[in-house]
Amino acid sequence: MYLIPRNISKRFEFFPGWGWKELLILLAALGIGAILSFALGLIISSPLRFLLIVLLGGIGYVSAQPVMADGSTALQILSYIRRYQQSQKLYLYRKGGI
């Protein structure tokens, strides 16, 4: 058994709070933006189509950053919402009015 100080992270991080998981999310968003940009390039020849790569890359970066006080990211919040909407609800009512 080893004692690990509190300020040591359990995972590898490039910057504080930004590690492999966040890098993969960013690269996936940039890849999707690049694919959409090149597909759009078959229709439009404007260089503004590359703005789509930057826009989706920014969305990927922001979605992996903690936005809540407890450290939850936007992607975690969306998964919490989805799990809540799919869970069984219990509705209580009284028969006979108020």
Side-chain angles (χ1 to χ4, degrees):
M1 178 183 272
Y2 296 101
L3 296 176
I4 300 173
R6 283 184 189 242
N7 61 350
I8 304 296
S9 177
K10 293 186 286 186
R11 63 187 185 107
F12 178 77
E13 295 179 343
F14 298 109
F15 307 105
W18 211 81
W20 285 109
K21 179 181 164 187
E22 292 81 11
L23 179 66
L24 290 176
I25 291 171
L26 175 64
L27 291 177
L30 286 173
I32 292 170
I35 289 170
L36 291 176
S37 175
F38 290 125
L40 193 61
L42 298 173
I43 302 169
I44 301 171
S45 63
S46 172
L48 288 178
R49 70 177 191 259
F50 295 112
L51 190 62
L52 191 61
I53 298 173
V54 174
L55 179 67
L56 286 177
I59 290 172
Y61 177 76
V62 170
S63 67
Q65 294 300 310
V67 292
M68 299 295 286
D70 65 349
S72 297
T73 64
L75 293 176
Q76 289 172 335
I77 293 170
L78 289 175
S79 71
Y80 296 154
I81 291 171
R82 184 172 160 236
R83 191 177 344 150
Y84 174 76
Q85 289 176 343
Q86 292 178 347
S87 67
Q88 183 177 0
K89 308 293 186 300
L90 177 65
Y91 298 100
L92 302 175
Y93 63 95
R94 280 190 240 176
K95 192 173 184 180
I98 303 173

